[in-house]
Amino acid sequence: VRLHDDDVRATLHVGELLLPNIPAGRFDAGFTLIGDTLDLQKLDFAAADVIVLNGKGHIERLSQAPSGGVDFGLKAMTTDGLRIVSELFGLPEGVAKSKHLAALAPLDIHGGLVAAKEGDGTKASIDLDGKAGGSDVSLIGRAVGDLAKPTEATIDLDGSVTGERPQALLVLLFPDLPAE
């Protein structure tokens, strides 16, 4: 079967998704990947009271100078749920194995990612808002650069963490920081 230059449209129905250390979850997704365009009509995953993930969006030119947007919601109520989430989103291994990870449960974050072509690169922004542990979290990030050269991108971050243990998030992201 030759698929390289052909348009492929597939529908996948999954009743249950099994992940390590959490109960089986209900999974419902609808998406198309045609050429270099991803159209995510629906992504819904729920595993008991451990993880809930949902999203939708449309992104063109995935491999170079992506343009489009994605909206998502994420809830992780346990440490095991947070570990699965950190692996799904490709966070460094030190985050998933950190002794400080438990302090972020329950996590309830909503976000949006928007990207547009700018010259030969991409101008992107991310907006996150919600709760981590007992703290309110807000983050706005903007980046301009070439997807193939992320270290050369111009990045601007602005955020706040307030509440019961705001340092829990910082210690997780910067493990050498004193917990106090």
Side-chain angles (χ1 to χ4, degrees):
V1 175
R2 189 179 144 262
L3 298 176
H4 184 349
D5 294 325
D6 297 335
D7 284 346
V8 176
R9 297 168 195 244
T11 303
L12 176 65
H13 296 281
V14 179
E16 241 179 15
L17 184 60
L18 303 174
L19 296 169
N21 301 320
I22 64 170
R26 178 188 50 79
F27 183 73
D28 186 12
F31 67 92
T32 56
L33 178 59
I34 300 174
D36 217 15
T37 299
L38 172 66
D39 187 22
L40 177 62
Q41 296 94 23
K42 174 173 54 170
L43 170 67
D44 285 316
F45 174 64
D49 291 328
V50 179
I51 295 177
V52 175
L53 174 63
N54 54 55
K56 63 182 177 176
H58 181 86
I59 301 176
E60 298 175 354
R61 293 183 304 278
L62 280 171
S63 61
Q64 341 168 355
S67 181
V70 175
D71 292 315
F72 65 91
L74 170 65
K75 293 181 184 180
M77 286 63 93
T78 67
T79 304
D80 283 333
L82 288 168
R83 281 194 178 90
I84 296 293
V85 165
S86 68
E87 291 170 8
L88 287 175
F89 284 96
L91 296 177
E93 189 176 322
V95 172
K97 293 185 176 182
S98 172
K99 63 182 180 184
H100 302 291
L101 190 64
L104 297 183
L107 178 76
D108 186 356
I109 297 287
H110 300 277
L113 173 65
V114 177
K117 183 175 179 180
E118 182 164 296
D120 290 334
T122 295
K123 180 178 182 179
S125 67
I126 187 165
D127 186 355
L128 300 174
D129 192 37
K131 291 196 169 285
S135 297
D136 293 318
V137 177
S138 177
L139 173 74
I140 297 173
R142 292 178 180 80
V144 178
D146 183 343
L147 191 62
K149 301 173 188 171
T151 58
E152 297 177 14
T154 301
I155 299 172
D156 180 35
L157 293 173
D158 186 22
S160 66
V161 181
T162 57
E164 293 175 25
R165 295 195 53 219
Q167 71 275 23
L169 182 62
L170 295 176
V171 170
L172 183 65
L173 296 175
F174 306 102
D176 297 332
L177 215 68
E180 300 79 36

